[in-house]
Amino acid sequence: SNAWHLSDIDRCHLLLDDAYAVATHREQNEASQADAVKKLVLVQLFLGKSTLEVAVSNNPNQAVRFLEGAFEILSKHLPSWMTEEYCLDHPDVTCGNNENSEIAIEVLRYLACARLSCNLYDGTTKCIETIKSKVAKYKPSSMTPNLDFTLSYLSFQAHLQSASLDQAFIAVEKIFQNPIAPLKSCTRVLLEYFHAAPGPQRKAIELFAWKIGDPSADDVEVLHSIDSVLEGIIETAKHEILDKTTEAILLLISEEKVKTRLLASQWTESRAHVLIFNHASAMFKAKYFHLACKLYQCSEDFLDANGSGSTPPRV
């Protein structure tokens, strides 16, 4: 740890190798060896996590190296249902050690983060799938909402950055369905997805409408999320897919739960009407009159629905 704080990473790895030799020395009894190995794994986990936290000034490859080393030691020396290799080599040992398995889950979770930082998308996905399959097989209760959210988010980023958009959307669905997923985080994920897959993503918009339909959701936060999603969709117009952008806007606004939230607010907390109107004006100035017409009509419909018919609308 001192070597790491002094940024002497090479010495750090040398000391870890020495520590491994001491921890696995044959003359120790089995309990002492297991305790020494576990301490070594925890040190490597700490170093991996710490290296990730300061990845701006350090190479995330070092975090991968620390964490891969930790998991290799776990697999060889500590019985658990997360490291079946040990169980296969030691059939006389019961591999139900929960503490070792929880450490293994933690190591793999951070290893997935480290591999993602190094653009090792297949490696990231492998870590995620290993955790999911082992937990589902041996101890489903270990898949807490927090762990599930983390794995879904890592999976989303890995698939998004490797252009596997279908798989990325499956991860988006998992994130939205997670009971602890904040609306703000869901909105941010959806915007990233829209940026990578612009156009009228009906399923994604329906997913968003379902999320904001939760009666417990804060009204102001919901309205701000609607504005953010609208802005994100409008942003895609810069990529010259104007028809699809307009279709996506109308699809979002026509969702009953979105419409209900906007009308209930009387536009006091939302900029949706202004965003739609301004985008319509941009289409008009660019001489995309058929698109401007649709958007202006949408704007006018909302004014009428709000009982603003007595005041001539700007449209």
Side-chain angles (χ1 to χ4, degrees), residues 271-288:
R271 295 180 296 111
H273 173 253
V274 174
L275 290 168
I276 295 169
F277 185 89
N278 288 347
H279 187 55
S281 299
M283 294 298 96
F284 185 85
K285 289 173 185 174
K287 299 187 178 181
Y288 291 99

Side-chain angles (χ1 to χ4, degrees), residues 51-294:
T51 304
L52 264 182
E53 288 168 6
V54 291
V56 175
S57 56
N58 285 282
N59 187 341
N61 282 301
Q62 293 296 346
V64 171
R65 189 176 170 187
F66 284 129
L67 294 163
E68 284 182 344
F71 192 72
E72 184 180 352
I73 294 169
L74 271 165
S75 300
K76 286 182 177 178
H77 298 285
L78 295 176
S80 80
W81 44 261
M82 275 297 296
T83 53
E84 288 180 341
E85 292 85 350
Y86 182 98
C87 301
L88 293 172
D89 293 337
H90 302 76
D92 56 321
V93 175
T94 301
C95 287
N97 189 301
N98 286 326
E99 186 182 354
N100 292 344
S101 296
E102 293 300 327
I103 294 171
I105 290 171
E106 189 81 346
V107 169
L108 280 177
R109 183 164 72 92
Y110 278 97
L111 180 55
C113 295
R115 285 176 171 172
L116 184 64
S117 297
C118 295
N119 302 325
L120 300 170
Y121 306 127
D122 288 343
T124 301
T125 303
K126 185 178 179 182
C127 289
I128 295 166
E129 292 306 318
T130 299
I131 294 173
K132 285 184 174 180
S133 62
K134 298 290 175 66
V135 167
K137 183 177 179 180
Y138 294 106
K139 195 183 177 190
S141 61
S142 289
M143 186 58 74
T144 62
N146 274 308
L147 178 60
D148 187 50
F149 178 82
T150 300
L151 297 180
S152 297
Y153 183 75
L154 289 170
S155 178
F156 168 71
Q157 289 295 341
H159 289 305
L160 190 75
Q161 293 176 40
S162 60
S164 302
L165 296 181
D166 289 343
Q167 292 299 315
F169 184 69
I170 291 172
V172 172
E173 289 181 306
K174 289 282 290 178
I175 291 169
F176 270 72
Q177 291 162 4
N178 190 296
I180 66 160
L183 180 58
K184 195 171 183 179
S185 298
C186 291
T187 303
R188 189 165 58 245
V189 163
L190 195 63
L191 291 175
E192 287 188 67
Y193 179 72
F194 278 147
H195 183 74
Q201 299 288 347
R202 180 177 291 275
K203 286 185 177 179
I205 289 171
E206 288 173 353
L207 196 62
F208 176 72
W210 171 79
K211 185 72 176 177
I212 65 169
D214 183 354
S216 65
D218 179 76
D219 289 338
V220 173
E221 188 180 356
V222 165
L223 293 169
H224 289 173
S225 288
I226 292 172
D227 289 353
S228 296
V229 172
L230 256 180
E231 284 181 304
I233 293 172
I234 290 169
E235 182 72 17
T236 65
K238 295 178 181 178
H239 302 291
E240 302 298 326
I241 46 167
L242 304 175
D243 287 277
K244 289 184 177 180
T245 301
T246 301
E247 190 181 339
I249 291 170
L250 298 177
L251 191 62
L252 175 67
I253 295 300
S254 65
E255 277 288 338
E256 196 59 42
K257 289 172 182 174
V258 174
K259 193 188 302 182
T260 302
R261 288 279 193 173
L262 289 174
L263 291 175
S265 75
Q266 296 288 306
W267 307 103
T268 53
E269 292 289 346
S270 172
R271 295 180 296 111
H273 173 253
V274 174
L275 290 168
I276 295 169
F277 185 89
N278 288 347
H279 187 55
S281 299
M283 294 298 96
F284 185 85
K285 289 173 185 174
K287 299 187 178 181
Y288 291 99
F289 300 122
H290 64 297
L291 300 181
C293 183
K294 290 179 181 179

